[in-house]
Amino acid sequence: MLSRTAENLFWIARYIERAETMARLLEVGARITMIPQAHGDGYRSEWESLLQASGTAKGFDAKYGDPVQRNIESYLFFDRDNPSSVISCIERARENARIVRTAISGQLWDVLNMAFQELRQLERRPRSELELTDLTEWVSRQATMVRGAIDSTLLHNDGYHFLNIGFALERADNTARLLDVKYYVLLPSLDFVGSELDSYQWHTLLRTLQSHRAFHFAYGGELSARKIAHFLILNPQSPRSLITATEKVTYHLECLARDYRKSGLPQMRARALLGELQKATVEEVFDEGLHEFLTRFIGEVSGLTSTVFETYLSGEAR
Amino acid sequence: MTQHFNEMYDGGRVREPYARLEGWTNAMPAELRQMKQAEAEQLFRRIGITFAVYGEGGDPDRLIPFDMFPRVFTQKEWRKLEAGIKQRARALNAFLKDVYTKAEIVQAGKIPAKLVYQNEAFERAVMGFVPAMGIYSHIVGIDLVRTGPEDFFVLEDNCRTPSGVSYMLENREIMMRMFPKLFHENRIEPVDGYAEALRRTLASVAPAKCDKDPTIAILTPGHFNSAYYEHSFLADLMGVELVEGPDLFCEGGFVWMRTTEGPKKVDVIYRRIDDAFLDPLCFRPDSMLGVPGLMDCYRSGGVSICSAPGAGVADDKAVYTFVPEMIRFYLGEEPILQNVPTWQCAKPDDLKYVLANLPELVVKEVHGSGGYGMLVGPKSTKEQIEAFRRKIEDDPDNYIAQPTLALSTTPTFVNEGVAPRHVDLRPYCLVGEKIELVPGGLTRVALTEGSLVVNSSQGGGVKDTWVLAE
């Protein structure tokens, strides 16, 4: 497969996963504003923390300044100046797909192209007619259909693996960032740890990841930072946990190595990271410091991404 | 008023190839037609068959209007066209080989040396080099118009990278999907062998140094190009890679693709970029579209390029005048298809005639394309004619003129129902080990009443083209 084609596929998946994360962030923000605030700043700091989480705070400040819900909705959903907005992500995913039409199935193209066409329709409707929940659910549905089309219509060849590597790396990164934000930004001060507000926010975080029900199935009713951290970092049953994402990356990299009859740096790094997560306990994570652990993990993921790029996507491989 | 040949109605009588279509349109109420039209558009948009025009504002994914009323040829009509097109494709290739090697036709005084060797499309860089099987133009798109039951004229030859074949194939797909009954009732020759034939053609011209199954790739300028859909569509149908310049590099006299498993050798490149952009070391140094060193690999027989660099010298509008002469010179045959009588403004007598008769003529730039830079005399105002007169006087070498032909019309769906509109035809002839063309082509239709300009860039549409089986 052409290196450029593999790169386009990789980015289709990353953009779709990112669009979904953006939509979920918006949803969680809206939910937070529906509960009474315990501290003085009101909704403002919540929205700010969401912008931090999405890595779009700077761009937003420059363009809008005032973090009111409507502006944030516009910026995170419809704004083409924001490279991470839902519309930017979906347009780029579709553009990448258009470039590699030959490497994807008709169904996958259909889903991506229809998402793009529908989004353009949505964009033309008056904002007052659009319910935020409808928008975020729409994004979720599109992402689900993309994954469905990939799993049920694509040959399970290298292209399939590059798509899945894209999904898993983006997901690992997004979950880690969301967790990090919860710990350091969402909570206004340490006094709130263990408070009602604290548990509400953890719950909201689970909601963002559409994992609150799964969590209850896995752990029973009680929410605690320890359990949630375990669920989102170390539980291989949790679809969005760091360990699950890392397992997926490793699995698809191994498939590539098998198909190409050649293993290398990406496989080594992925295996090492997975091994670490498999051995780790929540106590160790908290001992290291959740923030420190997550920062290190995000760094590892980024290093792994670079080796994938150098080995397969840059076209420099010999 | 000129009498135009109507391909469906001969007076009140329906001509034989269209016999079964009259009932079909009569039975279609306006609402159904509108529904079908909307369905067709939806299909085109969904599949993504759009004509991307970036940087011009407006919808970047513009649809070319699709007319559902098919254009029909009988088997007998088609056989004549086919023979004529193949003959022309052979002559054009013989001409290309000749002008890059012995130049016999010039020495014989059949065509002026200036027209060939001072031609912008002439490539000094390939002088003396003969590509695999001596073929230069592998996909020849010949534009034809019709003026009567037996009268077909060649308007123009396209020897470089004729586009539009994806429309020929997709128009058919969409028609079959929307009107399956029509296809049961009419026996229509299939066109879907095109991709297979193209692949066969490209594989047959692999360079001598290629000792196994040749690897074929399509070279595109990229996804911003207006014909990108077609490039990816053809790559998909043939199961070959669609590459951009930066995906390729040259080493050891061969061309390689950058793949996830390391470099892979490419033997045949079907390029959809112009000569000037092929190799920055040989042509335009500022181009990022091509591959540095490509021409060296080509000239040393490491890779085949389709069409060959320099093939454009045969499809020039001034060289066009001499194609019947080429057919006689190289093949010893009489041309089966006629040329449109052409005046060359480069010749003083012709120029005089042209300037005196502008309101009746169609004047074209020698290197123009896409319906730009032309004057349609009878459809122009006095001011437009005078403005064009000055352009011709300033640079007569750059213009040719032709009489306004009474182009045939075919029934076309318009707002008011069905009405005759002017059409042309571009069949695609493949030249490799064999010369072949699928029974069909791209019919372009001028959607504006009375207009003679069918180019998609000028608001023309397309329609399915049928050849009836015996």
Side-chain angles (χ1 to χ4, degrees):
Chain A
M1 163 170 286
L2 277 185
S3 297
R4 186 174 48 84
T5 305
E7 194 189 354
N8 288 131
L9 291 169
F10 177 80
W11 278 106
I12 291 173
R14 289 204 79 152
Y15 282 129
I16 290 298
E17 183 71 18
R18 194 170 296 174
E20 204 183 358
T21 303
M22 285 304 137
R24 291 202 160 129
L25 268 171
L26 257 177
E27 199 182 354
V28 81
R31 259 196 109 77
I32 289 178
T33 61
M34 284 185 235
I35 55 149
Q37 300 297 299
H39 50 93
D41 270 355
Y43 307 143
R44 200 185 170 84
S45 65
E46 309 297 353
W47 282 121
E48 258 163 12
S49 64
L50 285 172
L51 290 171
Q52 294 282 354
S54 62
T56 56
K58 247 188 170 167
F60 180 86
D61 274 351
K63 187 156 179 177
Y64 296 94
D66 197 16
V68 296
Q69 178 159 346
R70 205 187 146 77
N71 288 347
I72 291 178
E73 275 178 37
S74 297
Y75 193 65
L76 292 189
F77 206 96
F78 289 109
D79 199 331
R80 286 186 177 76
D81 290 343
N82 173 8
S84 302
S85 71
V86 169
I87 204 165
S88 295
C89 287
I90 288 186
E91 284 190 352
R92 286 194 212 177
R94 188 260 190 182
E95 190 65 3
N96 275 279
R98 195 169 85 84
I99 296 169
V100 295
R101 276 290 294 277
T102 53
I104 62 177
S105 64
Q107 286 88 335
L108 179 53
W109 165 253
D110 210 35
V111 174
L112 287 164
N113 191 37
M114 288 305 272
F116 167 81
Q117 309 284 0
E118 284 179 31
L119 193 50
R120 285 188 151 194
Q121 297 293 327
L122 279 177
E123 196 185 10
R124 287 193 201 108
R125 288 188 24 205
R127 208 53 51 83
S128 56
E129 278 179 18
L130 300 171
E131 286 291 339
L132 182 63
T133 327
D134 292 342
L135 290 177
T136 55
E137 276 175 7
W138 179 86
V139 178
S140 235
R141 203 159 53 237
Q142 302 310 316
T144 307
M145 286 197 288
V146 169
R147 284 191 205 96
I150 289 171
D151 276 336
S152 54
T153 65
L154 240 53
L155 267 183
H156 286 203
N157 59 8
D158 43 1
Y160 174 79
H161 300 310
F162 284 114
L163 275 163
N164 277 295
I165 290 167
F167 270 124
L169 285 174
E170 181 73 20
R171 181 170 288 187
D173 180 83
N174 288 351
T175 299
R177 283 177 196 278
L178 285 170
L179 256 171
D180 198 25
V181 162
K182 160 67 187 101
Y183 211 69
Y184 276 86
V185 188
L186 280 186
L187 272 186
S189 87
L190 279 178
D191 299 343
F192 289 101
V193 176
S195 71
E196 287 253 313
L197 179 65
D198 185 32
S199 77
Y200 183 83
Q201 287 182 342
W202 278 109
H203 199 248
T204 310
L205 177 69
L206 286 176
R207 251 179 199 285
T208 324
L209 298 166
Q210 276 186 359
S211 298
H212 51 298
R213 298 205 174 194
F215 175 84
H216 290 306
F217 273 118
Y219 296 83
E222 193 205 345
L223 285 166
S224 73
R226 232 187 123 263
K227 281 182 180 171
I228 292 177
H230 183 263
F231 184 65
L232 293 180
I233 298 172
L234 299 176
N235 188 339
Q237 289 182 355
S238 160
R240 289 182 188 274
S241 68
L242 302 187
I243 194 169
T244 303
T246 310
E247 263 178 357
K248 287 222 165 119
V249 176
T250 314
Y251 169 75
H252 289 287
L253 281 169
E254 299 288 3
C255 288
L256 278 180
R258 182 198 64 205
D259 290 356
Y260 290 170
R261 294 193 189 85
K262 198 173 166 189
S263 186
L265 207 54
Q267 283 80 6
M268 249 167 63
R269 281 192 84 144
R271 274 196 302 265
L273 186 59
L274 181 60
E276 194 200 321
L277 291 173
Q278 282 166 336
K279 274 185 295 187
T281 62
V282 177
E283 284 69 29
E284 284 166 6
V285 170
F286 278 111
D287 282 348
E288 184 180 346
L290 183 58
H291 175 68
E292 285 71 20
F293 171 84
L294 292 170
T295 307
R296 194 163 58 78
F297 180 82
I298 291 168
E300 288 292 335
V301 168
S302 137
L304 178 55
T305 308
S306 304
T307 63
V308 169
F309 185 81
E310 281 152 22
T311 309
Y312 298 114
L313 309 180
S314 69
E316 298 304 322
R318 288 298 171 101
Chain B
M1 188 66 207
T2 340
Q3 198 54 48
H4 297 284
F5 173 59
N6 186 317
E7 296 191 15
M8 178 155 172
Y9 293 104
D10 180 7
R13 196 178 58 89
V14 177
R15 289 182 64 250
E16 186 244 320
Y18 287 85
R20 288 170 191 274
L21 284 170
E22 194 179 37
W24 171 68
T25 38
N26 289 345
M28 189 155 33
E31 293 129 55
L32 178 64
R33 180 162 61 79
Q34 277 155 16
M35 224 179 70
K36 287 282 182 191
Q37 192 71 53
E39 188 187 334
E41 263 177 38
Q42 184 65 15
L43 282 170
F44 275 105
R45 215 175 265 290
R46 264 181 78 169
I47 304 171
I49 316 171
T50 53
F51 187 82
V53 187
Y54 285 87
E56 286 187 9
D59 186 359
D61 292 311
R62 198 159 59 81
L63 290 176
I64 292 189
F66 171 66
D67 177 55
M68 299 183 295
F69 208 116
R71 187 216 198 146
V72 194
F73 291 105
T74 61
Q75 186 66 222
K76 188 168 157 265
E77 287 170 335
W78 182 255
R79 285 218 196 102
K80 182 184 167 189
L81 282 178
E82 187 183 28
I85 290 162
K86 286 181 174 175
Q87 180 191 51
R88 214 164 159 103
R90 275 188 294 147
L92 289 164
N93 270 292
F95 170 73
L96 282 164
K97 186 177 171 188
D98 187 28
V99 299
Y100 286 110
T101 53
K102 300 178 190 152
E104 285 173 346
I105 197 165
V106 176
Q107 284 160 26
K110 302 281 183 191
I111 184 169
K114 183 182 157 201
L115 221 52
V116 178
Y117 296 105
Q118 286 177 29
N119 193 309
E120 274 177 43
F122 181 80
E123 291 301 358
R124 217 153 297 282
V126 296
M127 200 63 192
F129 172 76
V130 179
M133 306 193 73
I135 299 163
Y136 289 73
S137 178
H138 309 79
I139 300 105
V140 187
I142 301 217
D143 289 346
L144 292 152
V145 293
R146 186 175 196 179
T147 58
E150 303 292 329
D151 307 305
F152 289 91
F153 288 93
V154 174
L155 216 51
E156 161 173 342
D157 307 287
N158 296 281
C159 295
R160 293 174 240 202
T161 54
S163 65
V165 76
S166 57
Y167 286 95
M168 169 180 91
L169 299 169
E170 291 288 18
N171 290 349
R172 176 63 56 86
E173 281 301 312
I174 282 167
M175 282 299 281
M176 289 176 80
R177 198 157 151 178
M178 292 199 306
F179 303 107
K181 232 175 117 219
L182 261 190
F183 286 80
H184 294 305
E185 289 167 357
N186 292 274
R187 289 160 39 78
I188 303 152
E189 297 261 18
V191 289
D192 33 8
Y194 181 81
E196 191 44 46
L198 176 59
R199 198 194 154 94
R200 223 173 19 241
T201 300
L202 295 171
S204 77
V205 295
K209 281 188 191 169
C210 172
D211 52 3
K212 49 181 187 351
D213 232 7
T215 301
I216 300 167
I218 297 182
L219 177 60
T220 173
H223 64 286
F224 288 110
N225 187 270
S226 63
Y228 184 76
Y229 172 74
E230 176 154 308
H231 307 162
S232 75
F233 176 78
L234 288 175
D236 199 18
L237 284 182
M238 292 196 289
V240 305
E241 292 290 359
L242 177 63
V243 299
E244 295 178 18
D247 294 326
L248 301 177
F249 67 94
C250 299
E251 202 173 282
F254 292 103
V255 182
W256 307 83
M257 296 192 273
R258 301 177 198 277
T259 84
T260 50
E261 294 174 86
K264 186 174 178 197
K265 188 156 109 338
V266 180
D267 304 298
V268 181
I269 296 176
Y270 174 23
R271 51 82 172 243
R272 296 291 301 251
I273 68 178
D274 293 341
D275 285 2
F277 302 103
L278 277 176
D279 180 351
L281 299 183
C282 191
F283 306 117
R284 283 178 61 156
D286 58 329
S287 167
M288 300 297 289
L289 297 177
V291 190
L294 181 61
M295 287 305 288
D296 278 345
C297 293
Y298 174 68
R299 281 179 301 217
S300 63
V303 69
S304 290
I305 301 178
C306 304
S307 59
V313 73
D315 68 12
D316 188 282
K317 287 191 181 74
V319 171
Y320 157 88
T321 332
F322 296 92
V323 177
E325 203 50 53
M326 290 175 199
I327 294 172
R328 294 185 194 103
F329 187 81
Y330 296 113
L331 313 177
E333 298 170 10
E334 272 308 302
I336 299 169
L337 295 170
Q338 313 169 62
N339 261 19
V340 181
T342 304
W343 293 275
Q344 297 183 323
C345 299
K347 294 184 188 165
D349 285 353
D350 284 16
L351 177 65
K352 217 165 112 192
Y353 177 86
V354 170
L355 291 174
N357 293 282
L358 275 181
E360 277 83 54
L361 299 175
V362 176
V363 189
K364 296 175 183 170
E365 275 181 35
V366 171
H367 304 290
S369 70
Y372 292 105
M374 65 188 274
L375 173 81
V376 182
K379 301 276 170 204
S380 303
T381 63
K382 251 193 176 126
E383 290 72 35
Q384 285 167 329
I385 290 175
E386 289 316 308
F388 220 86
R389 181 189 303 281
R390 286 190 290 278
K391 282 164 79 174
I392 301 170
E393 284 166 346
D394 280 351
D395 186 10
D397 285 12
N398 196 30
Y399 293 93
I400 56 142
Q402 295 169 337
T404 325
L405 297 182
L407 296 197
S408 64
T409 63
T410 66
T412 299
F413 289 115
V414 296
N415 282 338
E416 302 75 40
V418 177
R421 292 287 183 269
H422 295 296
V423 288
D424 78 352
L425 176 70
R426 176 182 286 182
Y428 300 85
C429 182
L430 296 168
V431 188
E433 200 171 17
K434 287 195 292 183
I435 302 186
E436 48 188 330
L437 66 166
V438 293
L442 178 66
T443 290
R444 297 183 299 178
V445 52
L447 293 171
T448 315
E449 190 174 0
S451 168
L452 298 170
V453 186
V454 296
N455 290 86
S456 52
S457 46
Q458 308 269 302
V462 293
K463 48 166 77 202
D464 193 13
T465 310
W466 293 359
V467 176
L468 299 179
E470 204 88 274

